[in-house]
C-alpha cells in the first residue's frame, strides 16, 4: 500500500485512540503506532505538532473547555444543570438496563439513555473547536445514543446488537463519537463548497468589473459571456447566488 495512505490511516487511528482516552495519547503510543513507517525524528515532531494543533494532548489531556466560546460555555452549564437533575446510575445499574433493553424492555432502554446523557456531553466536549457548535455536537450525540439503544432489541433500522451487556457502553460511545466526527466532516464539506461558490462569484465579478471599466458602463450577461469566455451557466449561477447584486452587471440587460 502507498506509504502516504498508510501514514494518513495511522494518523487517523491515533486521533481515534486519543478520543477514546479523553483526547490524550502518550508519546510511546504515537511512536508505536508509526513504528512500521520508520519515521525520522523531525517527521515524528510534525506528527506531534499536528496532534497538538488538533487539541490532542501528548501525555496529559488538554483543557476540554479551553476552545469553547462564551456562548458555548453558558449553554454547557445550562445543559449540565439539566442532566445533573436526572438520577445518577452506577456502571452495574447501566449494565442491568442494557440487559433488560436487549430483552425488549422499552422502559429500561429509556433509563439507559438517561444514564448515558453525561457520556454524550463528555464525548462532545472532546470535539470542541473543530468548526461545529457544542450544542449541535451534543444534539447529534444524543440522536446516535437513542439509535444505538434501539439496536439492543433489534429496532434500529434492521440492526441488532449481538454483543454482551458489558459491551453496550463501549458500543454506544463509539456511535456517539462517529456521530460527532460525521457532523464535523459534513460541516467541513459545507465550508469547502461555500469557498468554491464564493470563488466562482468573485471570478465573474472581477471579469465584469474589467469589462465594465473598458466600456465605462454596466455590462449585460451576454456581453460578459462573449467578451470573457465565461459560460452562460457560470454567469447566471454567480448572479443568482449573489442575489443579482454584482454591481457591474446589468441584471435586466437584454441579449
Amino acid at each position: 500500500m502507498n506509504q502516504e495512505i498508510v501514514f494518513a490511516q495511522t494518523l487517523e487511528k491515533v486521533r481515534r485512540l486519543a478520543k477514546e482516552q479523553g483526547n490524550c495519547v502518550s508519546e510511546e503510543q504515537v511512536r508505536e503506532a508509526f513504528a512500521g513507517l520508520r519515521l525520522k525524528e523531525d517527521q515524528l515532531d510534525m506528527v506531534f505538532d499536528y496532534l497538538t494543533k488538533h487539541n490532542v494532548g501528548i501525555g496529559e489531556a488538554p483543557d476540554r473547555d479551553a476552545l469553547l466560546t462564551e456562548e458555548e460555555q453558558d449553554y454547557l452549564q445550562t445543559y449540565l444543570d439539566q442532566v445533573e437533575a436526572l438520577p445518577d446510575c452506577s456502571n452495574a445499574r447501566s449494565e442491568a438496563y442494557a440487559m433488560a433493553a436487549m430483552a425488549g424492555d422499552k422502559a429500561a432502554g429509556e433509563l439507559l439513555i438517561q444514564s448515558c446523557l453525561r457520556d454524550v456531553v463528555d464525548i462532545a466536549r472532546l470535539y470542541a473547536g473543530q468548526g461545529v457548535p457544542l450544542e449541535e455536537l451534543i444534539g447529534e450525540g444524543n440522536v446516535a445514543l437513542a439509535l444505538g439503544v434501539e439496536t439492543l432489541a433489534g429496532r434500529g433500522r434492521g440492526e441488532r446488537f449481538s454483543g454482551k451487556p458489558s459491551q453496550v457502553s463501549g458500543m454506544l460511545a463509539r456511535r456517539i463519537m462517529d456521530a460527532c466526527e460525521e457532523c464535523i466532516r459534513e460541516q467541513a464539506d459545507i465550508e469547502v463548497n461555500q469557498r468554491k461558490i464564493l470563488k466562482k462569484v468573485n471570478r465573474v465579478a472581477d471579469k465584469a468589473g474589467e469589462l465594465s471599466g473598458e466600456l465605462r458602463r454596466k455590462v449585460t450577461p451576454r456581453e460578459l459571456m462573449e467578451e470573457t469566455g465565461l459560460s452562460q451557466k457560470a454567469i447566471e449561477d454567480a448572479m443568482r447566488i449573489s442575489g443579482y447584486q454584482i454591481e457591474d452587471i446589468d441584471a435586466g440587460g437584454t441579449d
Side-chain angles (χ1 to χ4, degrees), residues 232-246:
Q232 181 177 348
K233 183 177 187 305
I235 296 171
E236 290 176 348
D237 286 348
M239 291 173 63
R240 174 176 50 78
I241 293 167
S242 69
Y244 299 92
Q245 296 301 311
I246 299 179

Side-chain angles (χ1 to χ4, degrees), residues 17-41:
L17 174 63
K19 288 293 187 296
E20 293 173 354
Q21 298 177 163
N23 236 23
C24 175
V25 289
S26 68
E27 182 176 334
E28 292 73 17
Q29 286 176 316
V30 176
R31 290 182 179 277
E32 181 179 347
F34 285 93
L37 291 173
R38 299 180 181 179
L39 300 182
K40 298 178 181 179
E41 280 301 314

Side-chain angles (χ1 to χ4, degrees), residues 121-141:
V121 176
D122 288 340
I123 292 172
R125 288 161 78 180
L126 297 176
Y127 292 90
Q130 297 188 47
V132 178
L134 181 65
E135 181 177 0
E136 188 171 341
L137 291 171
I138 291 176
E140 292 296 323

Side-chain angles (χ1 to χ4, degrees), residues 207-219 247-248:
K207 291 292 187 180
E210 292 174 9
L211 184 57
S212 176
E214 295 174 7
L215 299 178
R216 298 182 181 276
R217 60 171 172 79
K218 289 187 176 184
V219 298
E247 61 181 14
D248 293 311

Side-chain angles (χ1 to χ4, degrees), residues 123-191:
I123 292 172
R125 288 161 78 180
L126 297 176
Y127 292 90
Q130 297 188 47
V132 178
L134 181 65
E135 181 177 0
E136 188 171 341
L137 291 171
I138 291 176
E140 292 296 323
N142 285 339
V143 171
L145 169 62
L147 293 176
V149 169
E150 286 185 0
T151 68
L152 299 181
R155 293 190 294 270
R157 300 176 183 176
E159 298 180 73
R160 187 182 184 94
F161 179 67
S162 58
K164 301 176 181 178
S166 60
Q167 298 173 317
V168 169
S169 62
M171 179 271 288
L172 294 176
R174 287 191 295 274
R175 282 178 171 265
I176 296 166
M177 291 173 65
D178 288 342
C180 289
E181 291 176 6
E182 179 62 22
C183 188
I184 291 171
R185 281 194 294 270
E186 289 178 354
Q187 180 61 34
D189 289 341
I190 290 173
E191 291 176 358

